[in-house]
């Protein structure tokens, strides 16, 4: 367990460039709603939106401020992919499951555009510029080629194409890549303004949201549930756990905590770029990821370049993890050698045993949606649609996202050294070019 929430906002580029914040009070006294939602990130807010559409009264309880968790500090890459390739899903399960997962990803991307439009979130600066996977060696490029062929033939997805090394240099401004895969689905967004905009939309619709309201206990009471916060309680018919990688802040969400391995992801932002670097690096404003296992990713935010990857192991940031990111960035973009880094921050992503997010019921009174494995901007912000269906007794076809597949992490108490071990192995494989 970490120190007690609420916690102050982190010092990120997104905080510095955040638009107006909707103001929410704290919870005091005893209240009753149909559904109480724990967590004020994309998942929790999206759930409140769709429960309200079904005529249910919902309340969102956020331990700190809206967007304090991953939703306010992520890279803002809008993607519909999962950590497991669709071709692998088809191989391990069947083609219908792969197709359903692919559809869920595309629906989630489209949903980002709908939310932005519906709530008028212009400050989120959503750009549907697509993504580029950057092959670091010939073996990776070969597997990207196979993936593109498979997507064309098996799923009829023509949004992906292969780029040559020269096209990659024009696209990225870096000579580091032997080729790449362009995917025109998805794009980039200001993640904090996105979550704040959704919260503002809920507020305008009269949906209850409380900040500085850590749920310290969740228990059965009568025919429903009772949620306690330091200054007030909520009685509800059902509860939804939407705390993802921050499920260990209090004991209230202990039931999902041991299904998640929190993994620190970090990023750095440069000062605004000018001159040749400003005009040639990442000129098409897409999101960019490397094919290495210990994946690094990058994008522009205005005139700045953001560079992200694995953060420090353990509970806190370390200067050496940020220095490693800086070194990797300069190796890829040598012209940034003298460019100042102005912001450094990190957050936790929630890995699951099968690398797939899961949504479902813990029991007849508690529903959860967790485990986005570092790709939750689109999926978590549309997840409320599925959660609301489950809360109201439906069983939507969610492919592999179903609860039956959510597994507890074995040897949970030693998860941190285990993560270190796996990361070390991945780094070794990357280093030897496998
Ligand atoms: C550094 C980083 C970079 C990332 N980059 C990307 C990216 O580029 N693209 C992408 O798709 N995904 C990315 N992700 C993942 C993405 O941000 C998450 O999947 C997504 O934000 C999850 O949203 P959520 O609402 O489920 O969780 P969160 O946004 O983490 O919200 C959970 C909230 O629950 C609150 N909470 C916890 N316990 C309690 C309690 N007891 N009572 C009340 N409230 C509580 C927390 O304070 C927190 O605000 C990244 C994640 C990180 C950390």
């Amino acid at each position: 367990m970490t120190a007690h929430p609420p916690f102050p906002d982190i010092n990120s580029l997104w905080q510095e460039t955040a638009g107006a914040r909707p103001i929410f009070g704290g919870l005091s006294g005893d209240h009753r709603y149909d559904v109480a939602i724990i967590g004020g990130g994309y998942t929790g807010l999206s759930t409140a939106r769709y429960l309200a559409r079904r005529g249910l009264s919902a309340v969102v309880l956020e331990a700190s401020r809206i967007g304090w968790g991953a939703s306010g500090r992520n890279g803002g890459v809008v993607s519909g992919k999962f950590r497991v390739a669709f071709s692998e899903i088809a191989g391990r399960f069947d083609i219908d499951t792969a197709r359903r997962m692919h559809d869920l990803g595309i629906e989630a991307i489209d949903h980002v555009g709908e939310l932005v439009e519906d709530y008028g979130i212009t400050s989120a600066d959503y750009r549907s510029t697509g993504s580029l996977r950057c092959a670091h060696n010939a073996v990776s490029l070969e597997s990207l080629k196979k993936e593109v062929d498979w997507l064309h033939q098996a799923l009829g997805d023509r949004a992906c194409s292969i780029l040559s090394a020269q096209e990659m240099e024009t696209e990225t401004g870096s000579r580091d890549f032997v080729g790449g895969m362009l995917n025109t689905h998805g794009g980039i967004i200001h993640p904090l303004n996105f979550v704040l905009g959704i919260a503002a939309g809920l507020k305008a619709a009269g949906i209850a949201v409380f900040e500085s309201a850590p749920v310290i206990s969740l228990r059965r009471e009568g025919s429903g549930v009772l949620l306690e916060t330091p200054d007030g309680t909520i009685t509800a018919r059902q509860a939804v756990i939407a705390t993802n990688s921050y499920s260990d802040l209090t004991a209230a969400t202990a039931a999902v905590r041991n299904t998640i391995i929190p993994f620190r992801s970090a990023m750095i932002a440069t000062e605004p770029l000018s001159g040749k670097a400003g005009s040639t690096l990442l000129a098409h404003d897409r999101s960019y990821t490397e094919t290495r296992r210990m994946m690094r990713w990058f994008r522009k935010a205005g005139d700045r370049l953001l560079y992200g990857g694995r953060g420090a192991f353990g509970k806190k940031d370390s200067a050496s993890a940020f220095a490693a990111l800086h070194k990797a960035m300069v190796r890829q973009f040598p012209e940034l050698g003298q460019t100042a880094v102005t912001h450094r921050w990190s957050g936790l992503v929630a890995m699951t045993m099968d690398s797939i997010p899961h949504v479902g019921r813990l029991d007849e009174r508690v529903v959860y949606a967790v485990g986005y494995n570092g790709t939750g901007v689109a999926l978590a912000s549309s997840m409320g649609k599925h959660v609301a269906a489950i809360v109201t007794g439906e069983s939507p076809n969610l492919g592999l996202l179903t609860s039956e597949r959510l597994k507890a992490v074995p040897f949970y108490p030693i998860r941190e050294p285990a993560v270190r071990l796996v990361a070390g192995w991945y780094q070794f494989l990357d280093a030897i070019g496998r």
Side-chain angles (χ1 to χ4, degrees):
M1 260 340 102
T2 53
H4 234 57
F7 303 114
D9 294 331
I10 58 157
N11 184 17
S12 68
L13 175 67
W14 307 131
Q15 286 290 349
E16 195 178 299
T17 53
R21 257 185 181 274
I23 307 292
F24 298 106
L27 178 73
S28 66
D30 304 323
H31 304 263
R32 185 176 286 275
Y33 291 87
D34 291 326
V35 184
I37 301 158
I38 310 175
Y42 302 137
T43 305
L45 298 173
S46 167
T47 297
R49 168 181 161 95
Y50 285 101
L51 287 171
R53 287 196 167 185
R54 287 171 179 256
L56 296 177
S57 64
V59 59
V60 178
L61 300 167
E62 165 53 42
S64 296
R65 291 215 291 175
I66 291 299
W68 175 86
S71 299
R73 56 174 91 189
N74 65 69
V77 172
V78 175
S79 153
K81 71 181 171 59
F82 298 91
R83 286 232 173 251
V84 186
F86 296 113
S87 53
E88 200 181 325
I89 295 176
R92 275 168 48 195
F93 299 90
D94 53 59
I95 186 69
D96 287 341
T97 307
R99 189 170 288 116
R100 181 65 192 131
M101 294 297 281
H102 182 264
D103 287 351
L104 284 165
I106 301 295
E107 283 164 26
I109 291 175
D110 291 346
H111 184 266
V112 171
E114 282 168 36
L115 272 180
V116 165
E117 172 123 5
D118 205 12
Y119 290 142
I121 318 176
T122 48
S123 60
D125 194 19
Y126 178 40
R127 291 160 195 242
S128 323
T129 43
S131 65
L132 198 49
R133 294 204 68 202
C134 308
H136 70 287
N137 63 20
V139 178
S140 308
L141 182 58
E142 208 40 51
S143 78
L144 289 183
K145 284 179 180 162
K146 282 193 188 134
E147 199 177 328
V148 169
D149 285 346
W150 189 87
L151 284 166
H152 284 183
Q153 282 159 25
L155 297 185
D157 182 346
R158 303 235 144 231
C160 298
S161 55
I162 291 295
L163 302 190
S164 67
Q166 193 164 7
E167 287 169 314
M168 290 300 288
E169 189 181 338
T170 312
E171 276 271 349
T172 63
S174 171
R175 292 197 179 149
D176 216 29
F177 308 113
V178 299
M181 167 177 157
L182 175 64
N183 183 342
T184 56
H185 295 306
I188 51 174
I189 200 163
H190 187 304
L192 178 59
N193 282 344
F194 183 41
V195 71
L196 294 178
I198 301 169
L202 295 189
K203 186 177 168 124
I207 297 169
V209 176
F210 293 100
E211 294 184 321
S212 302
V215 176
I216 46 184
S217 78
L218 163 62
R219 57 175 200 266
R220 290 163 167 263
E221 181 91 352
S223 59
V225 286
L226 177 72
L227 292 85
E228 288 178 306
T229 73
D231 302 313
T233 69
I234 302 284
T235 306
R237 285 196 276 142
Q238 296 186 57
V240 174
I241 297 179
T243 48
N244 201 41
S245 52
Y246 293 93
S247 297
D248 67 349
L249 295 192
T250 78
T253 49
V256 297
R257 187 177 63 216
N258 69 349
T259 63
I260 287 162
I261 306 165
F263 195 97
R264 190 167 292 279
S265 175
M267 70 192 82
I268 56 179
T270 67
E271 64 183 326
L273 304 181
S274 55
K276 188 160 172 263
S279 59
T280 57
L281 301 191
L282 316 185
H284 293 93
D285 241 352
R286 311 185 197 280
S287 72
Y288 306 80
T289 51
E290 277 191 332
T291 45
R292 289 187 168 87
R293 284 180 187 76
M294 293 305 292
M295 183 191 83
R296 302 226 167 78
W297 63 268
F298 28 98
R299 59 167 281 189
K300 294 275 281 291
D303 296 336
R304 299 167 191 267
L305 193 140
L306 261 60
Y307 198 89
R310 175 175 68 70
F313 292 117
K315 299 210 183 317
K316 288 207 174 103
D317 283 328
S318 80
S320 63
F322 289 125
L325 278 183
H326 183 251
K327 193 171 159 198
M329 177 180 82
V330 173
R331 194 183 53 76
Q332 227 142 47
F333 304 106
E335 52 274 74
L336 298 183
Q338 300 307 315
T339 305
V341 168
T342 52
H343 300 77
R344 300 168 180 82
W345 73 99
S346 75
L348 297 175
V349 302
M351 313 301 277
T352 53
M353 289 301 290
D354 64 356
S355 306
I356 298 279
H358 293 289
V359 49
R361 276 196 174 280
L362 278 179
D363 57 41
E364 75 280 11
R365 300 180 200 188
V366 183
V367 175
Y368 65 84
V370 293
Y372 297 100
N373 287 272
T375 53
V377 173
L379 193 62
S381 60
S382 65
M383 189 55 94
K385 217 181 244 191
H386 311 308
V387 176
I390 292 169
V391 165
T392 51
E394 293 172 17
S395 306
N397 175 3
L398 297 174
L400 299 179
L401 305 186
T402 56
S403 55
E404 294 83 57
R405 297 185 42 82
L406 182 67
K407 298 272 179 298
V409 176
F411 313 114
Y412 184 76
I414 57 154
R415 67 198 185 286
E416 277 179 18
V419 165
R420 238 172 270 153
L421 202 69
V422 173
W425 174 241
Y426 284 175
Q427 265 167 334
F428 171 71
L429 291 176
D430 284 340
I432 62 170
R434 296 289 302 279

